Amino acid sequence: YVMAQNSLSRYRKARYAKDKKPIEETIPEELINAKSLVDGDVVSKIVILKHLAGEGKVKAGLAWLQNALKQEEKIVVFSHHHSVMHDYWMGIDENDHPECMSTKLHGKMSEKQKQISIDQFQNSPNCRVMFASIRAAGVGITLTAARTVVFTELDWNYAWHEQASDRVHRIGQDKNVQVYYLLAENTIDEQIYQMIRNKQDITKQLTKLKEIL
């Protein structure tokens, strides 16, 4: 709780310095509402910590992505928050990679817009990066043109990570797929990732038990 209070205080100051507005006017709508901030709800503060970790990794994450693009492979970059995904999308350095086109897929797009982005990523040799929402792009689509998956943020639910990475592992994939998680040290990332790993271990144990039975 103390960590949440301190991080929230830093977040308020940083956002006010950047936007000259109180945090209640700048924080993304899907994260939290003003009433829960006033009430000091612990869960809401944890949600802010999660978003704070995502934003704090953008600079380092972009550096990692720039280096990964040197391999000339297509990459799917998953994020949880739309604002974080947008920061990555805007941050691609066109001077270093003038040939690298990117596209997005998120829940605010229509089904037609989503399909256009998918087709562009799947079929255009110059479209190297897909920036996608973990949940919006986690079901029913095919992204087998990629061989690298990157999670810039973590979802609470392990199943969503499995569903998202499976978009690249679908029928028609003829390459080895690498999955990476970008974690920020000494942040809530570490707790969430450990929780995900624990859920993964439990799922594997249950699968083995089902096979025995």
Side-chain angles (χ1 to χ4, degrees), residues 116-166:
I116 290 173
S117 290
I118 293 167
D119 291 342
Q120 183 181 23
F121 182 74
Q122 286 287 96
N123 301 321
S124 173
N126 292 327
C127 188
R128 301 273 310 284
V129 187
M130 162 76 81
F131 294 100
S133 163
I134 293 176
R135 299 204 174 195
V139 179
I141 67 173
T142 297
L143 300 173
T144 51
R147 62 159 295 185
T148 300
V149 174
V150 184
F151 288 98
T152 65
E153 294 185 277
L154 303 176
D155 194 279
W156 295 106
N157 192 333
Y158 157 71
W160 281 109
H161 290 270
E162 288 286 286
Q163 289 278 4
S165 58
D166 280 350

Side-chain angles (χ1 to χ4, degrees), residues 45-127:
K45 287 182 170 63
I46 291 175
V47 172
I48 291 179
L49 283 176
K50 194 168 178 290
H51 185 252
L52 185 62
E55 283 195 337
K57 289 182 289 185
V58 170
K59 184 176 180 180
L62 281 169
W64 185 95
L65 184 57
Q66 295 280 11
N67 186 63
L69 284 169
K70 296 176 183 178
Q71 304 300 317
E72 299 185 357
E73 297 286 350
K74 293 198 175 192
I75 303 173
V76 181
V77 181
F78 285 109
S79 299
H80 180 76
H81 297 106
H82 182 270
S83 58
V84 173
M85 179 178 63
H86 181 73
D87 286 345
Y88 276 96
W89 183 64
M90 292 293 292
I92 285 292
D93 190 344
E94 294 182 356
N95 293 323
D96 284 350
H97 299 282
E99 80 291 350
C100 176
M101 292 194 304
S102 62
T103 187
K104 294 192 294 184
L105 198 158
H106 53 78
K108 296 180 180 181
M109 299 168 67
S110 67
E111 292 303 314
K112 182 178 180 180
Q113 290 173 322
K114 291 178 182 178
Q115 192 57 54
I116 290 173
S117 290
I118 293 167
D119 291 342
Q120 183 181 23
F121 182 74
Q122 286 287 96
N123 301 321
S124 173
N126 292 327
C127 188

